[in-house]
Amino acid sequence: MSTDTQQPCGAHLCGSFPLASSEEVFRIAASILGSHLRRIPDGETGIRTGWIRWQDAVFADHPAFETGPVEPGIYRPAPTYHVRDRAGAAGIEFGELGYADAAKASYRQFSQYKREGLIPSPTRFQVSIPTPLAPLSAFVALEDRAFVEPAYERRMLADLQEILTNIPHNQLAIQWDVAVEVALLEGVAPTHLRDPWDGIVERLVRLGQAVPPDVELGYHYCYGYAGRRHFKEPADTALVVRLANAVARGLARPLTWVHLPVPRDRSDDSYFAPLEGLRLPSDTEVYLGLVHLRDGVAGTKRRIEVARRHLSRFGVATECGMGPRPADTIPELLRIHVEVAAPVRQ
């Protein structure tokens, strides 16, 4: 990161875009933010719109599950899937989840645009993946999660391995989306974990270690944004700072970046003060999700000014993916990043 304390350096895109295709995402991100980006995601378009919603079919179509009654959810009560035969739960296996197929298809377009010069040569292809705990907590009945989790995580890591096999490591960046874990630690929803803190840190470290050291690794810590609302309004950055520190300590490989959210109405020192306790490797990039469309450049600069009193080096981002936004707002939102941050390359 830049040592310039007067202006943030670089921009980060969390993942989702409300656009029609990965081609459109690559074009608009590269044309507006090209020199500000170290990596570009494919926007999670098409069937993947809505973050993990498309994983519902993985359980609905699986013969080991049946639909059960409505249970409390992180955002709203929803029907969940129950294991038909718990005695045979150890034998549950999942087929391909779809993340590897989507990444391979998008990378073909990404690499073509790099060859054509649309995407700057040093830019990496970012694959944003929900942690296994996210679909598990959203779709599986609470009493069955402990039985199902090993099989679903095993399949998620198999998808990851397919991505690693088919995309050159020097072109790839993997981001784990950490939203459900934050919700569970905030007590928003019930969990099957006996010790949520240790269990979540252990899982996040394990996921990070599954990414080879020559592939960039990042974590997007999040309070959610479904329906343009958080599952809980964060009191400050203390929880995500503590979680980011714990995961960083546990990793035996480089940590390339972390992203932390900043709600639009938080431009007070009390929200940002815990950032002073952030203890990450010196070369880890930090991105603060303080870019908001509603109050534009002025509001974003106001949040930057306060954040800079507590953290000297960071880049900028929105607080979550842009998927829930109207498509016609995206160019202006991306231009705010350019207005408030320095490029990472000339």
Side-chain angles (χ1 to χ4, degrees):
M1 301 286 284
S2 167
T3 57
D4 178 11
T5 60
Q6 298 306 305
Q7 188 177 34
C9 181
H12 178 70
L13 301 173
C14 293
S16 65
F17 274 71
L19 302 178
S21 65
S22 60
E23 292 93 334
E24 189 176 359
V25 173
F26 295 145
R27 286 197 303 269
I28 192 170
S31 63
I32 297 177
L33 281 174
S35 63
H36 284 71
L37 295 175
R38 300 181 189 275
R39 52 200 72 89
I40 300 179
D42 72 355
E44 301 168 28
T45 59
I47 191 175
R48 290 175 295 147
T49 299
W51 194 41
I52 60 173
R53 256 181 278 172
W54 69 308
Q55 289 294 291
D56 179 278
V58 170
F59 300 97
D61 297 340
H62 199 297
F65 296 93
E66 60 185 2
T67 304
V70 170
E71 291 189 3
I74 290 174
Y75 292 104
R76 61 187 182 279
T80 53
Y81 296 98
H82 291 249
V83 175
R84 293 180 187 273
D85 176 17
R86 191 176 290 178
I92 291 176
E93 294 293 340
F94 291 94
E96 294 181 359
L97 301 179
Y99 289 100
D101 287 344
K104 288 186 292 183
S106 294
Y107 178 70
R108 286 192 289 271
Q109 185 64 59
F110 177 88
S111 58
Q112 177 183 326
Y113 281 163
K114 286 191 80 170
R115 289 193 300 271
E116 295 172 356
L118 175 65
I119 295 175
S121 178
T123 309
R124 292 200 181 209
F125 175 57
Q126 176 183 316
V127 180
S128 302
I129 313 175
T131 62
L133 201 57
L136 187 83
S137 299
F139 301 121
V140 178
L142 179 62
E143 66 269 22
D144 288 336
R145 291 175 194 168
F147 300 100
V148 178
E149 184 180 13
Y152 189 85
E153 180 177 312
R154 197 160 53 242
R155 183 60 248 185
M156 180 70 83
L157 292 177
D159 269 37
L160 172 64
Q161 185 57 52
E162 188 174 348
I163 293 169
L164 295 169
T165 299
N166 286 277
I167 298 177
H169 289 195
N170 64 359
Q171 298 293 305
L172 183 61
I174 298 293
Q175 174 178 279
W176 291 109
D177 294 339
V178 185
V180 167
E181 289 81 357
V182 173
L184 297 180
L185 292 174
E186 286 281 15
V188 172
T191 177
H192 67 288
L193 303 179
R194 293 182 179 179
D195 184 332
W197 178 265
D198 286 348
I200 285 170
V201 171
E202 176 189 351
R203 285 162 172 79
L204 293 179
V205 170
R206 185 164 66 239
L207 294 174
Q209 289 296 122
V211 180
D214 56 347
V215 174
E216 290 187 343
L217 169 68
Y219 292 86
H220 159 45
Y221 296 102
C222 183
Y223 273 79
Y225 198 55
R228 298 195 190 180
R229 67 182 181 90
H230 306 107
F231 47 70
K232 178 181 179 180
E233 289 301 315
D236 52 34
T237 54
L239 176 63
V240 288
V241 164
R242 182 186 173 209
L243 186 56
N245 285 346
V247 173
R249 283 196 304 270
L251 289 172
R253 56 138 296 152
L255 174 58
T256 315
W257 81 90
V258 298
H259 168 277
L260 288 71
V262 180
R264 188 185 68 250
D265 60 353
R266 299 309 298 266
S267 56
D268 52 289
D269 282 288
S270 64
Y271 184 82
F272 294 100
L275 292 173
E276 296 177 19
L278 202 56
R279 300 290 182 265
L280 303 176
S282 60
D283 57 350
T284 298
E285 304 158 25
V286 179
Y287 294 95
L288 299 183
L290 39 64
V291 176
H292 291 273
L293 181 63
R294 186 171 296 182
D295 59 6
V297 171
T300 299
K301 285 185 174 180
R302 184 167 59 250
R303 286 181 287 274
I304 288 171
E305 181 181 355
V306 180
R308 213 165 42 217
R309 295 201 284 261
H310 306 283
L311 187 67
S312 61
R313 297 182 298 118
F314 58 88
V316 302
T318 52
E319 65 175 331
C320 193
M322 302 181 201
R325 306 202 57 84
D328 61 2
T329 67
I330 298 304
E332 182 181 353
L333 189 55
L334 296 184
R335 282 191 285 268
I336 295 172
H337 293 68
V338 175
E339 288 286 326
V340 302
V344 294
R345 63 181 71 90
Q346 299 297 329

